[in-house]
Amino acid sequence: MNWPELFAGALLGTVLGFLASVLWDQYKTWKNNNIERDKFSFLVDKYQSKYGNGNIKSEAEIFYIKHNLLKIIVKHDARTWEGTITMSTTEFGNLAFAYKDDPENVGMKLIVLHSERNSFTLIPEIYYMTSKAKEFDKEVYERLELNAEESYI
C-alpha cells in the first residue's frame, strides 16, 4: 500500500469536499436572499398621505435593507421620523420608529398592505407611543408617480 498517495488523496478529497460545501452554502444563502428581496422589494418607492381635502399630510419613502427588513423615512409638517419595518408576511408587518429631532419620541405601528399593493395603512399602537403630541390616527399612504427629477426626501 502506498501510504503517501493514500494520504494525499484523502487530504485532497477532504479539501474539495469542504470547498464544495462552502460554495453550496453560499449559493443557497444568495438564492434565499434574492427570494426575500423579490418578496418585499415591491414596497420600495415613494408614497403620500393626504387629508380629506386633498392636501398632502405626509410623505414617505421606503428602502429595502435585507430579508424581511425595510427602512421608512416619513416627513410631515416640519418633522421627520425614521423607522424599521419588519414584514411578517407580504401583507402585514410591524414598524418601530423614532423622530430625528427627538430620538426619545418613539412608537410602533402596524403596516397593512392593500391588495393592489399601491398603498398601505399605518395603524399606531398607542400603548407604545411616547409622544405627548396630539392623538395619532391611522394613515393611508398611496404610491406616487414622480418624474425622475422630482424628489421630496
Side-chain angles (χ1 to χ4, degrees), residues 12-148:
L12 181 62
T14 302
V15 169
L16 289 176
F18 175 75
L19 286 175
S21 124
V22 167
L23 289 174
W24 179 250
D25 188 53
Q26 290 297 318
Y27 169 74
K28 288 192 313 186
T29 300
W30 173 80
K31 187 176 178 182
N32 287 337
N33 286 345
N34 283 342
I35 290 169
E36 291 290 321
R37 185 181 69 233
D38 291 346
K39 197 186 300 184
F40 298 110
S41 63
F42 70 88
L43 271 169
V44 174
D45 212 340
K46 296 178 181 181
Y47 299 84
Q48 278 185 344
S49 172
K50 296 183 179 181
Y51 291 107
N53 62 8
N55 292 339
I56 296 171
K57 184 176 183 180
S58 58
E59 299 171 323
E61 188 166 5
I62 296 179
F63 306 90
Y64 179 79
I65 299 175
K66 66 179 180 178
H67 305 297
N68 63 336
L69 297 177
L70 302 158
K71 176 181 178 180
I72 185 170
I73 300 173
V74 176
K75 290 178 74 173
H76 65 90
D77 303 323
R79 300 185 76 192
T80 302
W81 59 261
E82 286 187 18
T84 300
I85 299 170
T86 305
M87 295 300 295
S88 302
T89 69
T90 54
E91 292 87 27
F92 175 80
N94 293 301
L95 161 64
F97 70 92
Y99 279 90
K100 286 182 129 184
D101 61 345
D102 183 9
E104 292 183 10
N105 190 350
V106 299
M108 291 185 72
K109 298 184 181 198
L110 300 176
I111 180 170
V112 179
L113 275 62
H114 302 167
S115 60
E116 73 281 356
R117 294 188 173 190
N118 286 326
S119 58
F120 61 88
T121 301
L122 291 181
I123 304 169
E125 295 190 26
I126 57 173
Y127 299 110
Y128 298 108
M129 298 289 187
T130 61
S131 175
K132 296 174 181 67
K134 62 180 181 174
E135 188 68 32
F136 290 93
D137 293 326
K138 69 179 179 179
E139 207 169 345
V140 176
Y141 286 83
E142 295 181 356
R143 191 179 305 263
L144 285 179
E145 302 293 329
L146 291 178
N147 296 329

